[in-house]
Amino acid sequence: MMKLHLRIATCLAAWAAASVYAQSPAERFVDSLMAQMSWEEKIGQLNLPSVGFDVTGPMLSTGVEEKMKQGLVGGVFNTFTPVAVRKLQDFALEHHPHHIPLLFGYDVIHGHRTILPIPLGQAASWNLHLIELGANMAAREAAADGLNWTFSPMVDIARDPRWGRVSEGAGEDPWLGSRIAEAMVKGYQMPQMQSHYSLGYPQSIMACVKHFALYGGAEAGRDYNTVDMSPYRMENDYFPPYKAAVQAGVGTAMTSFNDVNGMPATCNSFLLKDVLRKEWGFDGMVVTDYTAINELMFHGMGNGAEVAKRALLAGAEMDMVGELYLTHGDSLRKVHPEVGVAIESACRNILLAKFRLGLFEDPYRAWKEADSEVIMSAEHKELAKVSAMESMVLLKNENRVLPLNSAQKIAFIGPQVKRRRDMIGNWSGAGDWTQSRSLWDAVESWDNVSYALGCNLVQDAAMMDQLNPHGAQLSLDERSSEALIKEAVKLAKKADVVVLALGEPYGMSGEAASRSSLTLHDQQQALLEAMAATGKPVVLVLMNGRPLCLSEADGSCNAILEAWFPGTMGGDAIAALLSGEQSPSGHLTMTFPRNEGQIPIYYNHRNTGRPFDAQQKYTSKYLDVSNRPLYAFGHGLSYADYSLSNLVCERVGSELHVSYDLTRSYEGYGGPASQVTQLYLHDVNSNMTRPVLELKGFDKRDLMPGQTQTIHLVVSRNEWGYFNSDRHWVMEPGEFEVSVGFSSDQRPLQTTVVLD
Ligand code: GLC
């Protein structure tokens, strides 16, 4: 071990001695180290195999220890716990010719062991500070578990809920998605402690913005499918969150599986070099998605050697699992010197990332606090509960059937009343679903409650066969569907109110989980209708990973609470909202369609030359359904009542200052409630067709009953410009409509301003 530290000390000394040039300390250190490395070692840094406890892709790495012995591994992912990390790191340091430490990556997507709501749920909280705290908590638990890199935030804009990975992102809006991307990068990397080449204390982990790029634009909402998109839409609607993560200092970026306008992202130099590095100034490291280089062969881009060359020259630096750089890198560089340049550049960025993480000074970096103090701590569980409560969206509350009261006899019915597995949703990393709190865990101690299964979460055998091999924990009750519903009806008739918990098993959302039908599946709608037929008030609680098509459900129930996959403390969070301990405050960040035929449907659409007019035949519409969604972007009800007034807009320097009054009325609910007010702009006349609305600001705050507060929002000048079809940024003076409201389709305050 002494030899090891002596060697590291030698490298550090070399770095110190070379400290006379203009380079940064990190660059000096890395360049001095690379000067000592063989080509084999340099290529080895580009190799990222999967080792350990989780399987997150179609093939598994083999012979990893043997490759480590030859210094042919730059990092691993899917390994955690200090014991496992130390073992692998020790092995790697001992055997690497220059004792270069490994990166340890993992999909810490919405928490590490204490699981938060899925990102689409957290986004619905519209609470950037809470989202940052959540990422920070995840980082501390992941670091305590030996990890130093997460493949998060996923910031792919998505307008198509058929795509199962909408669960992992922040929804459809580029401005809000950008703010959330910034918050998550800050939460993971703790910028208060990071400089350009130092990623903060050991509690921080390096973040990874993904999937670059435009993965959410897959045709037909089918995962991994083709993306074809105009530069105009790319720049204005899909690029902003990636760019925001880069500007927030994200340490790495991950290439996406899809092709973009005919060129797969993983070998797309327009994306990886022109945009990411030259235009946005990204100076981190680019990792591919799982075997994405190998999959270039399926894209039809050549054989193994050819696709390895394409990816290297395009700027894909670390090869996740595919090992094509390992196989072909050396022979390619001998024939193509430019490949050698690309290999060295990639190796340098990977080593700089390790330096930034402090791995050369402390390869273990696992934060010294004992797991028990950090992982699944009471503080973290409380944060998870708060995050879950703020993420949930009250979609409907007819006749104020919510909140419930303790005198009521409540029948809790449905497959999601007792299931724990789905609480932590998809991409739940190291989360232990058996530790999560179901709805029943939280309410069974209430007075006057009863329970019935009502229906199986999944009835269809073929669907069960798809999901159970991946841990869905689905089974069929021994009773028939009819018997289950009959029992539920009998119970409902004895109750004052029915709480019906339905939704998706976690495996029906997430990766490789696109759906063509988004209604409540199998027996769920039948159960809902049977409950409605009893004449009792029905409160539908949904646990799912995407917008569903709820038109029928909406017609059969009095209230709908969208709980998403709410995380470890989800049951307690739902119970707190149902009981009125706190009012729901979530607002949708993705549109809920009436039916699949409306998709893609999103609020910031363009007007067309024949916008809908009920009095006219020849206008843009469907014959069989309204153009309007069932629930719009920004929608979310509260138990409290609010009003808006006194909108004032004024130019202050180059900014637009907007102020307005929010009042919470005395009537009705008196408990804790917060409200999200949203500021939208619309460019009335422009040289290109612009969205009918664009979110440019929001505020979330608590008010006491009867209280009024004046809210001030500032819109910086670059918020009302846009990229034209040549990808040039343009600012056009003219008239802008300014509106403020509680949703994109409920904006009581409106005015017009002239902006230059
Ligand atoms: C998966 C996902 C990506 C994830 C990676 C590693 O296929 O596409 O989001 O980070 O592989 O698990």
Side-chain angles (χ1 to χ4, degrees):
M1 189 54 85
M2 266 312 290
K3 184 177 68 173
L4 161 65
H5 288 291
L6 194 60
R7 295 301 293 268
I8 290 181
T10 308
C11 283
L12 290 173
W15 153 49
S19 61
V20 294
Y21 307 115
Q23 292 175 308
S24 71
E27 288 159 332
R28 285 196 297 275
F29 173 79
V30 165
D31 289 348
S32 68
L33 175 55
M34 283 185 67
Q36 304 168 55
M37 290 167 68
S38 67
W39 273 107
E40 202 176 39
E41 286 180 78
K42 291 171 188 171
I43 292 167
Q45 287 301 303
L46 281 52
N47 183 30
L48 179 70
S50 171
V51 180
F53 312 127
D54 212 338
V55 177
T56 57
M59 64 180 263
L60 266 181
S61 306
T62 56
V64 178
E65 285 201 359
E66 193 44 45
K67 291 174 180 104
M68 277 185 188
K69 280 182 182 169
Q70 305 161 54
L72 297 180
V73 176
V76 298
F77 68 107
N78 291 331
T79 290
F80 49 86
T81 71
V83 170
V85 167
R86 182 169 288 277
K87 177 172 177 284
L88 267 187
Q89 192 70 291
D90 277 347
F91 187 89
L93 290 169
E94 195 58 39
H95 290 91
H96 191 283
H98 288 93
H99 316 293
I100 297 175
L102 296 173
L103 290 169
F104 283 86
Y106 193 46
D107 292 285
V108 182
I109 307 298
H110 51 108
H112 177 59
R113 291 200 187 247
T114 306
I115 302 300
L116 297 159
I118 52 172
L120 189 61
Q122 288 185 61
S125 73
W126 295 60
N127 187 331
L128 299 178
H129 180 59
L130 187 57
I131 290 168
E132 182 181 337
L133 286 177
N136 195 284
M137 175 196 84
R140 292 172 187 277
E141 290 198 352
D145 230 357
L147 293 162
N148 49 48
W149 184 22
T150 177
F151 304 133
S152 175
M154 186 276 210
V155 303
D156 302 313
I157 291 292
R159 295 166 160 174
D160 188 332
R162 292 173 295 180
W163 189 50
R165 301 199 77 166
V166 300
S167 61
E168 301 168 51
E172 69 196 43
D173 184 70
W175 184 89
L176 182 61
S178 302
R179 304 294 76 78
I180 288 171
E182 291 158 356
M184 292 189 78
V185 169
K186 284 166 65 179
Y188 288 131
Q189 298 189 161
M190 306 180 196
Q192 71 277 18
M193 294 173 272
Q194 80 171 353
S195 67
H196 192 60
Y197 283 109
S198 164
L199 199 58
Y201 291 148
Q203 307 96 310
S204 62
I205 56 176
M206 185 160 63
C208 180
V209 62
K210 70 184 186 183
H211 304 80
F212 194 64
L214 315 181
Y215 186 23
E219 282 181 0
R222 201 174 77 237
D223 207 352
Y224 316 124
N225 204 3
T226 298
V227 172
D228 230 82
M229 191 180 291
S230 70
Y232 183 56
R233 168 162 290 177
M234 208 183 276
E235 284 289 356
N236 293 298
D237 301 344
Y238 283 76
F239 272 172
Y242 303 113
K243 185 176 182 180
V246 168
Q247 291 172 337
V250 70
T252 59
M254 182 185 291
T255 70
S256 57
F257 292 118
N258 55 284
D259 68 336
V260 175
N261 299 343
M263 183 57 70
T266 299
C267 62
N268 191 318
S269 60
F270 162 73
L271 292 176
L272 303 183
K273 288 190 170 177
D274 300 346
V275 174
L276 187 63
R277 294 208 185 269
K278 291 176 190 158
E279 293 176 18
W280 296 353
F282 177 66
D283 66 353
M285 178 263 280
V286 174
V287 62
T288 74
D289 203 338
Y290 206 111
T291 62
I293 300 173
N294 309 57
E295 291 162 21
L296 296 176
M297 292 187 270
F298 289 115
H299 279 286
M301 305 301 284
N303 63 27
E306 286 159 345
V307 297
K309 177 170 176 260
R310 287 181 187 277
L312 265 170
L313 294 183
E317 296 172 323
M318 209 165 195
D319 172 2
M320 184 184 281
V321 177
E323 300 198 359
L324 286 178
Y325 288 175
L326 217 52
T327 307
H328 300 289
D330 204 39
S331 53
L332 283 168
R333 68 156 189 96
K334 287 171 182 167
V335 178
H336 307 282
E338 70 275 23
V339 170
V341 171
I343 288 169
E344 291 195 311
S345 171
C347 176
R348 192 167 187 270
N349 282 332
I350 292 162
L351 293 175
L352 285 172
K354 293 182 178 183
F355 187 97
R356 191 174 181 198
L357 271 163
L359 293 182
F360 289 104
E361 288 159 58
D362 176 4
Y364 303 98
R365 225 178 151 274
W367 195 17
K368 304 298 179 279
E369 278 199 41
D371 286 2
S372 58
E373 289 170 31
V374 178
I375 289 177
M376 293 284 272
S377 66
E379 178 198 358
H380 285 181
K381 286 182 183 176
E382 181 55 27
L383 177 61
K385 179 183 172 185
V386 169
S387 181
M389 286 196 287
E390 292 215 23
S391 70
M392 295 177 188
V393 183
L394 184 59
L395 297 176
K396 177 179 184 181
N397 193 19
E398 207 170 59
N399 308 322
R400 296 183 186 273
V401 69
L402 287 177
L404 305 173
N405 67 63
S406 55
Q408 289 173 302
K409 293 196 292 289
I410 306 166
F412 285 89
I413 294 170
Q416 290 292 26
V417 173
K418 289 192 173 182
R419 273 178 65 90
R420 294 192 182 98
R421 176 59 196 86
D422 306 309
M423 301 306 272
I424 62 174
N426 39 64
W427 286 115
S428 52
D432 176 357
W433 64 267
T434 64
Q435 300 293 312
S436 64
R437 297 266 298 166
S438 70
L439 175 53
W440 189 246
D441 290 330
V443 302
E444 64 178 329
S445 60
W446 288 7
D447 298 333
N448 310 317
V449 297
S450 57
Y451 162 76
L453 177 61
C455 74
N456 295 305
L457 184 59
V458 170
Q459 189 73 30
D460 175 58
M463 182 63 77
M464 286 177 73
D465 291 346
Q466 284 194 79
L467 301 182
N468 272 338
H470 302 282
Q473 306 286 327
L474 294 167
S475 60
L476 293 178
D477 190 276
E478 75 276 358
R479 291 167 292 175
S480 68
S481 299
E482 295 71 22
L484 289 171
I485 289 184
K486 189 176 175 186
E487 178 200 39
V489 167
K490 188 176 173 191
L491 203 74
K493 287 180 174 172
K494 295 177 193 164
D496 299 319
V497 60
V498 173
V499 174
L500 188 58
L502 302 173
E504 294 179 310
Y506 85 97
M508 277 180 105
S509 287
E511 183 172 357
S514 295
R515 291 177 63 187
S516 68
S517 165
L518 299 177
T519 54
L520 292 174
H521 60 277
D522 289 344
Q523 292 299 310
Q524 296 188 32
Q525 186 61 35
L527 174 61
L528 178 49
E529 285 160 14
M531 293 298 98
T534 65
K536 301 291 181 177
V538 177
V539 174
L540 176 61
V541 177
L542 285 171
M543 283 166 244
N544 48 288
R546 66 186 354 125
L548 296 174
C549 292
L550 299 172
S551 297
E552 286 185 66
D554 183 78
S556 304
C557 59
N558 307 80
I560 303 177
L561 180 67
E562 175 55 77
W564 313 107
F565 294 128
T568 303
M569 302 303 289
D572 298 276
I574 296 169
L577 299 187
L578 292 178
S579 68
E581 178 186 320
Q582 178 169 314
S583 167
S585 62
H587 287 247
L588 297 178
T589 64
M590 192 169 179
T591 301
F592 274 51
R594 292 175 187 278
N595 66 34
E596 297 82 354
Q598 289 184 311
I599 294 168
I601 181 170
Y602 46 96
Y603 89 93
N604 49 350
H605 60 83
R606 305 205 289 262
N607 205 31
T608 79
R610 292 193 172 184
F612 175 66
D613 176 344
Q615 311 310 319
Q616 293 287 332
K617 170 179 171 56
Y618 300 102
T619 64
S620 182
K621 65 178 182 297
Y622 303 97
L623 291 178
D624 55 354
V625 73
S626 155
N627 290 359
R628 296 168 61 83
L630 186 62
Y631 306 118
F633 173 86
H635 173 71
L637 302 177
S638 172
Y639 295 155
D641 294 318
Y642 295 88
S643 60
L644 286 166
S645 57
N646 302 333
L647 176 61
V648 176
C649 297
E650 57 179 332
R651 288 300 301 277
V652 177
S654 64
E655 298 169 333
L656 171 65
H657 286 210
V658 178
S659 63
Y660 52 91
D661 289 348
L662 173 67
T663 299
R664 177 179 172 182
S665 66
Y666 266 115
E667 289 75 38
Y669 176 77
S674 51
Q675 181 56 278
V676 176
T677 49
Q678 302 144 45
L679 165 63
Y680 295 92
L681 289 188
H682 168 49
D683 186 349
V684 177
N685 289 304
S686 176
N687 288 326
M688 294 191 73
T689 56
R690 301 293 302 135
V692 294
L693 276 181
E694 293 179 88
L695 179 75
K696 292 298 179 185
F698 73 91
D699 174 87
K700 180 171 190 176
R701 68 180 61 204
D702 305 348
L703 291 184
M704 296 311 291
Q707 192 178 9
T708 294
Q709 283 187 355
T710 300
I711 295 166
H712 300 274
L713 297 178
V714 175
V715 184
S716 64
R717 187 168 185 280
N718 63 11
E719 290 293 1
W720 58 84
Y722 65 92
F723 286 95
N724 66 16
S725 51
D726 298 324
R727 298 181 58 236
H728 297 145
W729 180 253
V730 293
M731 300 289 301
E732 297 171 344
E735 204 173 279
F736 284 78
E737 289 165 353
V738 178
S739 56
V740 173
F742 304 112
S743 168
S744 60
D745 67 351
Q746 192 195 358
R747 305 184 321 280
L749 300 183
Q750 306 203 4
T751 188
T752 301
V753 296
V754 175
L755 300 174
D756 57 21

